[in-house]
Amino acid sequence: MTGQPPALRLEGIVKTFPGVRALDGVSLSVMPGEVHALMGENGAGKSTLMKVLGGIYQPEEGQIIVAEMPTVMTSPLQAKSKGIVFIHQELSLAEELSVAENIYLGELPQLSFGRVDWAKLYTQTDAILEKLKVGFSAKTIVGDLSIANQQMVEIARALTVDAKAVIFDEPTASLTDAEKVVLFDVISDLKSQGVGIIYISHRMEEIFKITDRISVLRDGSYRGTLETRNTNEEEVTQLMIGRALDLSRNASHHEMGNVALEVRGLSCGDLFKDVSFEVRRGEVLGFYGLVGAGRTEIVETLFGLRNPSAGTILLDGEEVHVSSPADAISKGISLVPEDRKGQGLVLGMNCRDNMTLPQVGDLSSGPFVATGAETEIFDKYKDKLDIRTPGWKQTVGNLSGGNQQKIVIGKWLSMHPKVLMVDEPTRGIDVGSKSEIHNLIRELAAQGYAVIVVSSEMPEVLHVSDRIVAMFSGKVMRTFASQEVTEESLIQAISGITATDKVA
Amino acid sequence: MASMSKADIGRFLARQGILIAFAVFIIGFTLANERFLSPDNVMGVVRSSAILGVMALGVTFVVISGNLDLSVGSMMSFSTIVVLDLHDKIGPALAIPAMFAMTLCLGAFIGFLVGYLKLNSLIVTLGMLSAIHGLTLTYSGGQNMDIVDKEGTWFAVFGQGSALGIPVPILIFVLLAALLGIILAKTPFGRTVYAVGGNGTAATFSGIKRARVVFLCYVMSAFCVAVAGLIQASRSLGSQNTVGQGLELDVLAAVILGGASLLGGSGTIFKTVIGVLILGFIQNGLLLVGLQFYVQFVVTWVIIILAVWLDIAAKRGKLWSNIA
Ligand SMILES: Nc1ncnc2c1ncn2[C@@H]1O[C@H](COP(=O)(O)OP(=O)(O)OP(=O)(O)O)[C@@H](O)[C@H]1O
Ligand SMILES: [Mg+2]
């Protein structure tokens, strides 16, 4: 590797937005065949740096050097033609089109008279999909795919070009463990072809598994580069957030109260069948399983978004029928949804108004919205969740991905629900804030909330839950108490292996 | 300032494009005809814009909630005809509330189709444009409608009266704009209108009853149409069946000119008022420089295209872009 010129070099990049100095003279170089991690807190400037590299933003200062040639990136298309491929943090697919059309958008194979060569398009696409070992075909409509599978389409797109450098901006945020393995295979393939890879993620295990070097950004400035094999999580964290992290679980054992929510034999078509569980006040119940196991569908049903086909829901011991989200909210059930962009936020609205949206009707003085009270709520949760934004007036769409997620969490926490359901609560959130959110969830339980956490991250489920429900293809396989659960038994349960020790 | 780059200038033009274009028009018209900025002419423009303006206020709600309303023109004809007809039959004091009730029913019907049945608003209101026109013709039997005793009715006050030296139509427009402006900007309902237009799914996930919000926006729009119909009827005390024909496009032009996005989620009442005035002054200016009335139709179209383009440009921060 030494002696070779870098595949890609960034020098002294400066980029500002109104009120934010997002990048303050950042330099970075990536060698061919290297997996280079880019780390930093939410809002540190990682995505912005990559958007500069990908031709989406123009930097005010600094230069980009591709294969020793200074280059000005004027558009994503041009960046692509220079061999720089970008897999975005936020999905950018055409939902109405097929997988194949999305992958080859703008470059569809053609016959005479501009007709599309569909046969060729589909065989080409299927070849790529096969490499990715995904369970859908070239003709599937993208909108019908789960978020994880949409992410795979985005990745497939990158494999169609002859890339010099591939940027992955939090590719695993919505992937399951099995899908991650496939992704890592793809990355090591690219690596062996001499492609330089920039890999952005908040997940330490991954970073240490697949990267060669780690560069750290903090508040828009470059903090240093570490050799992955000569460093450890503590050192990286220290560099990222300027302090060490307390990862110990808030073990203070508190009293469990009454059963707040009980579900008996709940079914919803083919999505999930005969699901029963209960959550007490003061308890955190984790739901773990593969994507498609029906976890999201269960919480959506409890939130009034789907009609159950059978079963009963009891709230504080009384049978209830939840007809709509508005109804759920009035009964004290809240849901932090899994798709922040589509379901969680009105991107064009400001931070404060997004956060108070579910309660805007209650926060009134006379006929008017009590904006003072709104700002108070916003400020409180901005501090509590450490949301990085110049102020409440900032449009949510301009926030970094992780900070957007925090707005969604703040939105539902500030409602003080009886039962709080969170679906993938820390997707895209940096290590520091992640442990803060975990602590917050524990703290909420301690205050007497009943909390349901759906997560695809095993460490997260193990960390926050008092009990864990393991699901496989719409069925509850087993419910574990936190002291009896092991990683092994959990993996067995969610893979559909009916453990014999269930009987014992 | 001296170091303003080409990109900055582009961004500035994109943001302020409408106002700059407006300023250029005003200067041009004033040079061409000194009467253009005379108090009489200005008052005349505002006054004749009042009907269009009142309708645009309601359509602003509909557009911010992410929908369209192309039925307001023919609905206004309906209101005008109905109130004129009932004036002589049951007297103005009963005719006015009866007309309001009927117009609100039409709005509620559209609101039901678009809000609760989730039908596409373009198709629904385009269909209603024609259906309501048919309804009006059926009602009037195709006849023009006239009040018999034009001298002796207090009904004329809404279109012809004035208070404190200000014509009543302008007063109504200003008061209604203030009221609706406050509702949109300051009340919880207004906030939900922005949320529904900005991201309907996220609004639903936040417990907002999306269908109800859309429904209410159309009722609001119908209310404004009824007010406009009242002013129109009272001003002329007689009317053809087609009095509101084509107004839907002018209204839409004014709303977009003001900067409301057709995608929903943005716009304000204040901006719509500015849009109404811009449209009014440009159309008046064209007449003053001696262009035929019919030219206005083409000009309105050009203005709509210009406004839509500048709207997109403002979002991108530049006038041209090869990125969608
Ligand atoms: N279009 C924009 N307008 C205004 N501010 C912006 C814009 N894009 C990014 N920012 C700001 O720039 C800073 C860096 O954001 P960026 O998205 O690069 O963070 P990040 O490191 O990718 O964070 P995350 O881990 O949360 O994805 C943030 O403070 C963000 O609010
Ligand atoms: Mg980011």
Side-chain angles (χ1 to χ4, degrees):
Chain A
M1 228 161 78
T2 42
Q4 266 178 306
L8 181 76
R9 217 147 50 100
L10 293 162
E11 260 176 24
I13 305 284
V14 173
K15 173 76 199 167
T16 56
F17 296 108
V20 190
R21 200 168 172 85
L23 296 172
D24 194 5
V26 175
S27 302
L28 187 76
S29 81
V30 181
M31 305 302 289
E34 175 191 34
V35 182
H36 196 120
L38 188 56
M39 297 198 72
E41 290 177 283
N42 296 130
K46 305 177 297 292
S47 298
T48 306
L49 185 64
M50 293 305 108
K51 284 179 187 165
V52 166
L53 180 53
I56 295 166
Y57 293 149
Q58 303 305 314
E60 276 112 56
E61 283 171 41
Q63 57 175 346
I64 301 168
I65 299 153
V66 182
E68 296 195 281
M69 293 280 291
T71 314
V72 179
M73 298 294 179
T74 51
S75 72
L77 222 59
Q78 196 223 3
K80 205 169 169 187
S81 73
K82 300 271 180 212
I84 295 185
V85 180
F86 196 162
I87 293 157
H88 288 270
Q89 179 172 16
E90 310 293 346
L91 296 167
S92 54
L93 299 169
E95 303 216 329
E96 297 81 16
L97 297 185
S98 70
V99 168
E101 286 166 296
N102 265 287
I103 291 176
Y104 285 97
L105 209 58
E107 301 152 330
L108 296 174
Q110 300 207 331
L111 298 166
S112 52
F113 302 113
R115 289 172 300 146
V116 174
D117 187 347
W118 293 105
K120 188 169 168 201
L121 175 66
Y122 289 135
T123 43
Q124 276 181 354
T125 308
D126 279 327
I128 293 175
L129 294 181
E130 196 167 322
K131 220 189 298 180
L132 290 172
K133 303 190 186 73
V134 291
F136 53 88
S137 83
K139 291 182 189 167
T140 317
I141 299 299
V142 163
D144 295 339
L145 295 173
S146 67
I147 295 188
N149 281 333
Q150 292 188 12
Q151 185 82 47
M152 295 309 272
V153 174
E154 192 96 30
I155 291 167
R157 216 194 235 175
L159 302 180
T160 62
V161 252
D162 182 22
K164 285 201 183 59
V166 181
I167 303 162
F168 290 92
D169 195 351
E170 300 195 35
T172 54
S174 47
L175 296 190
T176 59
D177 291 336
E179 287 159 330
K180 273 182 223 164
V181 171
V182 176
L183 173 69
F184 295 160
D185 282 351
V186 171
I187 289 178
S188 82
D189 260 10
L190 288 171
K191 185 178 154 137
S192 63
Q193 290 161 22
V195 177
I197 290 158
I198 299 180
Y199 190 87
I200 301 178
S201 171
H202 291 295
R203 298 187 174 162
M204 289 285 186
E205 332 88 73
E206 292 170 8
I207 298 286
F208 279 88
K209 197 155 138 197
I210 67 163
T211 69
D212 301 305
R213 288 195 295 166
I214 302 171
S215 287
V216 176
L217 293 184
R218 187 158 139 215
D219 292 334
S221 54
Y222 171 75
R223 284 306 159 110
T225 301
L226 305 164
E227 294 277 339
T228 308
R229 76 181 104 83
N230 297 332
T231 185
N232 53 36
E233 292 193 14
E234 286 73 47
E235 194 181 4
V236 176
T237 310
Q238 184 78 39
L239 207 55
M240 264 172 64
I241 65 178
R243 63 189 157 84
L245 210 58
D246 176 18
L247 281 174
S248 65
R249 170 166 161 169
N250 174 359
S252 66
H253 257 290
H254 45 267
E255 288 298 302
M256 299 260 175
N258 304 331
V259 175
L261 176 77
E262 187 181 349
V263 169
R264 286 190 203 141
L266 199 67
S267 302
C268 182
D270 289 336
L271 296 169
F272 56 87
K273 286 205 175 80
D274 198 20
V275 170
S276 302
F277 61 86
E278 54 176 50
V279 210
R280 294 177 175 276
R281 288 181 193 283
E283 183 180 41
V284 179
L285 181 67
F287 271 82
Y288 187 64
L290 300 173
V291 167
R295 300 162 304 163
T296 295
E297 288 74 10
I298 291 177
V299 290
E300 283 180 354
T301 306
L302 294 175
F303 194 56
L305 286 158
R306 295 172 189 274
N307 276 324
S309 49
T312 47
I313 302 169
L314 292 100
L315 203 60
D316 284 331
E318 273 180 47
E319 188 172 339
V320 291
H321 173 73
V322 189
S323 60
S324 69
D327 189 24
I329 291 167
S330 73
K331 291 187 163 83
I333 303 176
S334 287
L335 170 67
V336 175
E338 74 174 332
D339 174 9
R340 64 166 167 265
K341 213 170 134 192
Q343 304 166 335
L345 296 167
V346 182
L347 288 177
M349 212 177 225
N350 69 43
C351 294
R352 181 194 71 186
D353 294 1
N354 260 290
M355 196 181 273
T356 55
L357 196 54
Q359 48 183 325
V360 70
D362 306 326
L363 286 175
S364 46
S365 60
F368 303 125
V369 178
T371 46
E374 282 191 295
T375 312
E376 247 168 57
I377 292 178
F378 175 77
D379 286 341
K380 182 171 159 201
Y381 286 89
K382 176 178 183 267
D383 288 347
K384 211 165 177 160
L385 299 170
D386 189 24
I387 299 172
R388 306 283 169 88
T389 159
W392 64 260
K393 288 187 183 139
Q394 179 69 279
T395 307
V396 159
N398 288 343
L399 258 50
S400 79
N403 283 303
Q404 291 182 4
Q405 179 72 13
K406 291 181 188 177
I407 298 270
V408 186
I409 293 181
K411 166 167 154 181
W412 293 108
L413 281 188
S414 63
M415 295 290 291
H416 304 295
K418 240 185 256 171
V419 179
L420 176 68
M421 306 187 288
V422 289
D423 198 352
E424 305 289 357
T426 59
R427 176 175 287 168
I429 283 191
D430 69 54
V431 280
S433 314
K434 195 168 187 165
S435 77
E436 276 163 37
I437 287 174
H438 290 165
N439 287 342
L440 203 67
I441 289 176
R442 298 294 316 161
E443 199 183 295
L444 286 171
Q447 287 167 20
Y449 291 94
V451 186
I452 294 178
V453 176
V454 173
S455 175
S456 304
E457 269 186 75
M458 183 170 323
E460 175 160 281
V461 185
L462 290 173
H463 189 66
V464 300
S465 317
D466 292 308
R467 286 185 304 130
I468 299 170
V469 176
M471 292 200 56
F472 171 74
S473 109
K475 291 191 201 71
V476 173
M477 300 307 286
R478 202 179 148 182
T479 304
F480 297 90
S482 67
Q483 56 276 12
E484 62 164 348
V485 65
T486 61
E487 292 197 10
E488 244 180 8
S489 55
L490 201 51
I491 289 175
Q492 270 192 1
I494 64 154
S495 329
I497 303 164
T498 353
T500 36
D501 60 9
K502 205 172 160 186
V503 193
Chain B
M1 240 2 199
S3 66
M4 219 158 101
S5 71
K6 219 176 116 199
D8 287 336
I9 294 171
R11 198 175 307 163
F12 179 75
L13 280 180
R15 289 255 169 77
Q16 310 298 338
I18 298 275
L19 287 178
I20 294 168
F22 184 46
V24 171
F25 270 115
I26 297 275
I27 292 167
F29 287 141
T30 315
L31 291 179
N33 188 331
E34 71 278 9
R35 259 196 56 216
F36 185 65
L37 279 185
S38 69
D40 271 359
N41 191 51
V42 169
M43 194 61 118
V45 170
V46 178
R47 180 179 174 160
S48 63
S49 299
I51 291 179
L52 178 87
V54 165
M55 290 160 74
L57 298 177
V59 171
T60 303
F61 277 79
V62 174
V63 168
I64 294 176
S65 78
N67 293 301
L68 284 176
D69 193 346
L70 294 179
S71 68
V72 289
S74 75
M75 203 189 284
M76 197 272 256
S77 307
F78 173 81
S79 307
T80 308
I81 293 293
V82 166
V83 78
L84 287 172
D85 174 60
L86 293 180
H87 179 279
D88 284 357
K89 288 185 181 150
I90 57 177
L94 288 176
I96 295 171
M99 177 275 274
F100 267 78
M102 286 193 230
T103 311
L104 289 180
C105 282
L106 289 177
F109 181 58
I110 297 175
F112 173 74
L113 295 179
V114 178
Y116 291 94
L117 296 190
K118 300 193 169 52
L119 304 184
N120 180 295
S121 68
L122 177 72
I123 308 294
V124 168
T125 59
L126 202 56
M128 286 303 279
L129 185 160
S130 145
I132 297 176
H133 185 53
L135 192 66
T136 311
L137 287 173
T138 314
Y139 185 90
S140 67
Q143 303 295 311
N144 288 350
M145 211 53 90
D146 273 295
I147 289 177
V148 178
D149 178 15
K150 292 197 177 169
E151 306 303 317
T153 176
W154 56 266
F155 184 73
V157 67
F158 304 108
Q160 302 173 18
S162 66
L164 313 164
I166 305 169
V168 172
I170 296 183
L171 275 181
I172 295 178
F173 177 40
V174 170
L175 289 178
L176 198 59
L179 177 69
L180 295 187
I182 288 172
I183 290 180
L184 188 58
K186 304 277 184 207
T187 66
F189 170 71
R191 186 72 63 76
T192 58
V193 173
Y194 283 103
V196 165
N199 182 350
T201 311
T204 306
F205 270 75
S206 301
I208 291 169
K209 293 181 179 125
R210 185 179 171 181
R212 190 168 150 256
V213 172
V214 171
F215 174 82
L216 288 175
C217 285
Y218 278 103
V219 172
M220 201 85 108
S221 177
F223 177 80
C224 291
V225 168
V227 173
L230 178 65
I231 298 173
Q232 175 65 41
S234 156
R235 192 166 78 176
S236 52
L237 299 178
S239 172
Q240 297 177 329
N241 290 296
T242 53
V243 58
Q245 198 171 46
L247 272 185
E248 58 279 337
L249 277 193
D250 281 8
V251 165
L252 204 59
V255 172
I256 304 169
L257 261 181
S261 161
L262 278 185
L263 298 175
S266 73
T268 65
I269 290 289
F270 179 71
K271 285 183 181 168
T272 292
V273 171
I274 300 287
V276 167
L277 294 179
I278 292 178
L279 197 65
F281 275 107
I282 290 177
Q283 293 186 341
N284 168 263
L286 293 172
L287 288 180
L288 284 190
V289 297
L291 287 175
Q292 279 196 341
F293 176 72
Y294 310 112
V295 176
Q296 286 189 6
F297 295 119
V298 179
V299 171
T300 305
W301 178 82
V302 171
I303 290 172
I304 292 181
I305 299 298
L306 195 70
V308 172
W309 174 45
L310 287 171
D311 173 40
I312 296 172
K315 283 207 190 82
R316 289 195 293 242
K318 25 179 153 153
L319 292 174
W320 298 114
S321 167
N322 36 16
I323 313 169

